[in-house]
Amino acid sequence: MSVSESALIAFASLIQIDSQRREKVRNAPTPVHVVNLASEQGHVFNQATLMKMQAEKTKHLHDDHLNNASSWGEALLLCFGAHN
C-alpha cells in the first residue's frame, strides 16, 4: 500500500467519526475538493488515488446503495462506509 493510499484510509476513518468533516465531504462537488479537505487535516493523497480507490470499492456496492446517493460526495461516503 502506498503512502497516498494510507493517507486516504486514515482520512476515511476520520470522516467516519467527525460529522462536520463528513458533511463537507458529502457536499464536495469534485474529487479535488475532497483532496483539499484531507490535506488541511494532514492527510495527503492525490485525486488519482481517491478515484482509483473509490472505483475499487464501488464494485462491491449494490446498485441500490449508489442510486440513493444524492451527490458525488454522498457516493464517496458510501464507498468508504461513512454515510451516516
Side-chain angles (χ1 to χ4, degrees), residues 9-28:
I9 290 168
F11 183 66
S13 294
L14 174 65
I15 61 175
Q16 287 181 14
I17 59 172
D18 187 327
S19 61
Q20 211 171 21
R21 285 192 182 83
R22 190 168 49 248
E23 270 309 302
K24 288 181 180 181
V25 170
R26 180 173 282 121
N27 294 315

Side-chain angles (χ1 to χ4, degrees), residues 1 5 7-9 11 25 34 37 60 63 73 75 80:
M1 180 178 307
E5 290 171 338
L8 175 53
I9 290 168
F11 183 66
V25 170
V34 174
L37 286 169
H60 304 290
D63 287 354
F80 289 98

Side-chain angles (χ1 to χ4, degrees), residues 26-40:
R26 180 173 282 121
N27 294 315
T30 68
V32 172
H33 287 87
V34 174
V35 168
N36 291 338
L37 286 169
S39 180
E40 291 170 5

Side-chain angles (χ1 to χ4, degrees), residues 11-80:
F11 183 66
S13 294
L14 174 65
I15 61 175
Q16 287 181 14
I17 59 172
D18 187 327
S19 61
Q20 211 171 21
R21 285 192 182 83
R22 190 168 49 248
E23 270 309 302
K24 288 181 180 181
V25 170
R26 180 173 282 121
N27 294 315
T30 68
V32 172
H33 287 87
V34 174
V35 168
N36 291 338
L37 286 169
S39 180
E40 291 170 5
Q41 300 304 310
H43 302 284
V44 179
F45 52 87
N46 58 36
Q47 181 176 334
T49 298
L50 174 62
M51 294 176 73
K52 286 177 183 177
M53 288 186 75
Q54 180 183 15
E56 182 61 34
K57 291 183 177 288
T58 300
K59 290 193 266 183
H60 304 290
L61 290 177
H62 192 277
D63 287 354
D64 289 343
H65 292 299
L66 291 171
N67 285 334
N68 291 330
S70 60
S71 66
W72 177 85
E74 181 70 25
L76 179 67
L77 292 173
L78 287 167
C79 291
F80 289 98

